[in-house]
Amino acid sequence: MTDEVVAMRRHAMAVSSAGPAPSRQDLLERVETLGPAIAAGAAESDRLGKVPDLVQDGLVEAGLFRLLLPRGVGGAQVDPVTFAQVIEAVAKRDASAAWCLCQGNGCAMTAGYLKPDVAYEMFGKDTRAILAWGPGPGKAVAVDGGFRVTGNWAFASGGRHATWLGAHVPVHEGDGTPRLSAAGKPTIRTMLFPASAAPLKDIWKVVGLRGTGSDAYALNNVFVPSDYTVARDDPAERRDPGHLYCFPSGSLYASGFAGVALGTARALLDSFIALACEKTPRGYKHPLAQNAVIQSKIAQAEAQLGAARLYLMTSLEEIWRAVERTSTLTLAQRMQIRLQSTWAIHMAEGSATAPDRLTVTRQGALALVALNRPDKRNALDDRAIQALEACFATLPADVRAVVLHGLGAHFCAGLDLSEVGDRPIAAAIAHSRMWHHGFERIQFGPVPVIAVLHGAVIGGGLELAASCHIRVAERSAFYALPEGQRGIYVGGGASVRVSRLIGVARTMDMMLTGRTYGADDGMAIGLSQYVVEPGAGLAKGIELAALVATNAHLTNFAILQALPRIAESGHAEGLLTESLMAAIAQEDPEAKRRVEAFLTKRAPKVSET
């Protein structure tokens, strides 16, 4: 009787004597029992750069690092739905602990591909055994009885508590030539070795998930016996017949990390709801929970998160039942797992964060900034104003001009009136000043801004447009300052900027009577400099932005910063400021180069177009 047969019989006996596997409910109750300790250790986890020992001990003793381990070596060998739900439950208390738990369990699936005696040596004898690994460059050179392994790897989540480490490496022959498969592809094997052979190096300097301790490790010509290597997820090397091992580890990683996202989002929503019931913001009379906008957003987040979770868990259950019947996981089912897991992660993120108010794209030296609330006609709420200020305060140094436009049918319908609220006078003044600061970032920013206007350009939308330097209006654009009819007063700068564009009398007329101007009349009175046909505005805006982006940077700076101030100053002060700015600008090396090009007839002359 061969050693292999003896080992297989021992494995079968271990399974038969292991008793019934823990149920899903039993495992979730274990998490519930550990929940307070996991949550209490979250802050310490961030500080230590690893899951605290007390929490780690609890997870290990509850058998939660053995969920995907074969029954023959003392594992629970649970189904994918149970696995995802356990990870989700832990993530509600601490995302780092859940992440390490998911990673460690995914690695443990390797036991299903090892010889039974080796699997027992690694995982059966030591109930605290944990395997971790990460990506990185390396290689294994074949020698008698195994491989000599050299390389550097990183992001070994949970490695601070691991007893074993792994490395995925291409195999080379003794003469240095790559070992190829029958299909002519490089042979990749996973090398398993005691964690003591490769001390971890602290590289995990991050903001989130600090407790995962996803650090680095290295080997230099370390011998790894052949029996401690596997071809990861290769059916030809699979030794455990359980249905769980029909699934590649990637499918369980995807499902588990989706559980991390769902649990984290659930905890965030629960915390926010509790806060909303207690917190009354400064200047308001009622808690956030009584705000209709907050109620709507929470309802949408609940629906989004619940639908994503149901999709993931239901699909996993259906696929598991099919695999139990057929003992096969099809390619279509693998694709389905990846789809539903990725969708759950994105929806969990979306339920925990509001959509971006702006989208920013690059086109060479240009930045295209788009207002992104088309369902609200791009109405400006506090988050949008803050996003605009942050965007223009942090433009990359190589941006030379910006095109500002609105997604959907309108440029901007002004202030989001749902945010007007019942602010006291001091709070209302502060709110208006926030708008002023945001728009001043645009008007007195480092680069020219071209606004592309279409549809509604009213109230705060017109104030935003007026803070830009050039305005291109499509013929669909219309302008209004309806605040007078709504019982409020402009607060985003219209009294100053719009009055200076079209005069106090016209501004007063718009505010008192609600008068609107179309695109052509708007250009005639100074609300825009260009009018184009519907749909042509963005192209024209990009054309103009590309043109002004070729100007000398200091010249553009002078036009944006000095010209408005000169226009507002007294006659003598204005002329003096002009002289100073002209002297500064002409000393710019770029200006000198351009003048030289003109004098040597290498630059075109001005001509009528």
Side-chain angles (χ1 to χ4, degrees):
M1 185 178 297
T2 66
D3 291 342
E4 180 79 4
V5 173
V6 170
M8 292 299 290
R9 286 187 175 180
R10 186 181 300 156
H11 170 76
M13 291 173 63
V15 172
S16 64
S17 62
S23 67
R24 183 180 305 172
Q25 186 60 36
D26 178 41
L27 290 168
L28 291 173
E29 287 176 357
R30 295 181 194 181
V31 175
E32 191 67 26
T33 300
L34 291 169
I38 298 172
E44 186 182 5
S45 173
D46 277 354
R47 182 178 62 81
L48 295 174
K50 67 173 185 176
V51 175
D53 292 344
L54 182 64
V55 175
Q56 182 74 15
D57 290 345
L59 295 171
V60 168
E61 290 165 10
L64 299 182
F65 273 97
R66 305 174 82 78
L67 299 177
L68 304 183
L69 200 61
R71 297 286 312 288
V73 290
Q77 201 166 326
V78 303
D79 62 88
V81 183
T82 299
F83 175 62
Q85 289 190 9
V86 170
I87 299 298
E88 176 193 30
V90 174
K92 292 176 183 178
R93 280 83 178 183
D94 179 21
S96 289
W99 187 279
C100 292
L101 200 58
C102 179
Q103 180 75 11
N105 275 290
C107 294
M109 291 183 72
T110 304
Y113 294 78
L114 293 168
K115 289 182 177 179
D117 276 359
V118 176
Y120 178 78
E121 184 69 24
M122 286 183 63
F123 296 101
K125 288 173 62 176
D126 181 5
T127 59
R128 303 184 63 84
I130 294 173
L131 172 63
W133 57 48
K139 70 175 184 178
V141 178
V143 295
D144 288 344
F147 303 89
R148 289 283 176 183
V149 184
T150 299
N152 295 275
W153 300 272
F155 311 126
S157 297
R160 292 291 170 183
H161 289 291
T163 55
W164 294 82
L165 293 173
H168 315 300
V169 292
V171 175
H172 293 252
E173 303 297 351
D175 60 5
T177 59
R179 178 178 293 181
L180 303 179
S181 67
K185 296 182 179 180
T187 296
I188 307 294
R189 293 193 71 80
T190 298
M191 308 285 152
L192 307 174
F193 44 90
S196 58
L200 291 172
K201 179 181 179 181
D202 183 6
I203 64 165
W204 193 237
K205 311 298 184 182
V206 294
V207 175
L209 292 176
R210 284 186 287 179
T212 62
S214 301
D215 290 317
Y217 55 102
L219 292 178
N220 184 18
N221 199 35
V222 172
F223 177 72
V224 177
S226 295
D227 286 349
Y228 286 78
T229 75
V230 296
R232 182 177 166 190
D233 296 329
D234 183 351
E237 294 198 12
R238 177 183 159 199
R239 297 173 184 273
D240 194 293
H243 292 122
L244 176 63
Y245 305 102
C246 296
F247 292 76
S249 57
S251 294
L252 273 298
Y253 280 133
S255 305
F257 289 131
V260 174
L262 291 171
T264 304
R266 177 71 269 160
L268 188 151
L269 274 178
D270 289 346
S271 296
F272 181 80
I273 290 170
L275 175 69
C277 291
E278 299 174 358
K279 182 177 178 62
T280 299
R282 180 182 177 186
Y284 286 75
K285 296 179 179 179
H286 305 291
L288 284 170
Q290 296 184 32
N291 183 294
V293 175
I294 296 296
Q295 292 171 356
S296 174
K297 295 298 184 184
I298 290 296
Q300 293 175 49
E302 287 282 6
Q304 184 172 316
L305 185 62
R309 184 182 189 279
L310 182 64
Y311 177 40
L312 174 69
M313 301 302 176
T314 301
S315 296
L316 279 177
E317 190 73 54
E318 291 175 354
I319 292 171
W320 175 249
R321 297 306 173 203
V323 170
E324 284 186 316
R325 293 192 303 271
T326 65
S327 297
T328 301
L329 182 72
T330 67
L331 178 60
Q333 289 167 336
R334 289 176 61 180
M335 292 169 62
Q336 179 71 13
I337 292 171
R338 179 53 65 107
L339 169 64
Q340 68 204 21
S341 299
T342 302
W343 181 252
I345 291 169
H346 284 296
M347 291 300 99
E349 178 192 14
S351 71
T353 58
D356 291 337
R357 292 298 192 258
L358 303 179
T359 62
V360 181
T361 56
R362 289 294 302 271
Q363 190 167 314
L366 309 182
L368 277 58
V369 179
L371 302 175
N372 186 27
R373 296 186 80 196
D375 57 324
K376 297 288 188 179
R377 302 206 303 171
N378 290 320
L380 298 171
D381 59 2
D382 288 357
R383 286 188 57 235
I385 298 298
Q386 291 161 1
L388 282 165
E389 181 172 7
C391 174
F392 283 91
T394 58
L395 286 173
D398 60 340
V399 169
R400 302 300 294 272
V402 172
V403 178
L404 177 65
H405 63 109
L407 300 180
H410 302 278
F411 172 70
C412 178
L415 169 68
D416 186 338
L417 292 177
S418 68
E419 289 205 343
V420 172
D422 51 358
R423 297 186 181 94
I425 292 175
I429 292 172
H431 186 260
S432 174
R433 295 298 290 157
M434 180 183 73
W435 281 56
H436 294 162
H437 294 319
F439 291 172
E440 283 175 0
R441 284 286 188 185
I442 299 172
Q443 181 178 0
F444 296 111
V447 298
V449 180
I450 290 82
V452 177
L453 313 176
H454 69 295
V457 189
I458 61 178
L462 179 52
E463 291 173 315
L464 172 59
S467 69
C468 300
H469 307 107
I470 298 175
R471 288 165 294 282
V472 177
E474 296 185 2
R475 294 198 185 278
S476 64
F478 60 95
Y479 309 94
L481 292 173
E483 284 82 356
Q485 284 69 52
R486 292 171 181 160
I488 55 178
Y489 188 80
V490 294
S495 302
V496 176
R497 292 193 182 90
V498 177
S499 292
R500 286 176 177 160
L501 289 176
I502 66 175
V504 173
R506 286 196 175 99
T507 304
M508 189 177 294
D509 178 32
M510 293 178 73
M511 294 173 67
L512 287 172
T513 69
R515 180 176 181 175
T516 62
Y517 286 92
D520 289 312
D521 289 340
M523 185 173 73
I525 65 173
L527 290 174
S528 75
Q529 294 99 319
Y530 299 86
V531 171
V532 297
E533 296 303 316
L538 187 57
K540 182 64 176 178
I542 292 172
E543 175 192 333
L544 293 170
L547 178 63
V548 301
T550 63
N551 295 341
H553 185 65
L554 188 56
T555 299
N556 276 348
F557 179 83
I559 293 170
L560 302 185
Q561 303 295 328
L563 181 59
R565 293 176 168 90
I566 291 171
E568 295 172 13
S569 63
H571 180 81
E573 293 84 355
L575 291 177
L576 177 59
T577 304
E578 180 183 82
S579 298
L580 293 172
M581 204 67 242
I584 293 170
Q586 73 179 21
E587 288 302 308
D588 182 29
E590 175 66 10
K592 292 181 177 180
R593 185 188 66 77
R594 290 173 183 245
V595 171
E596 175 66 19
F598 177 80
L599 293 175
T600 57
K601 302 186 185 303
R602 290 182 288 111
K605 295 182 178 180
V606 176
S607 61
E608 184 179 359
T609 57

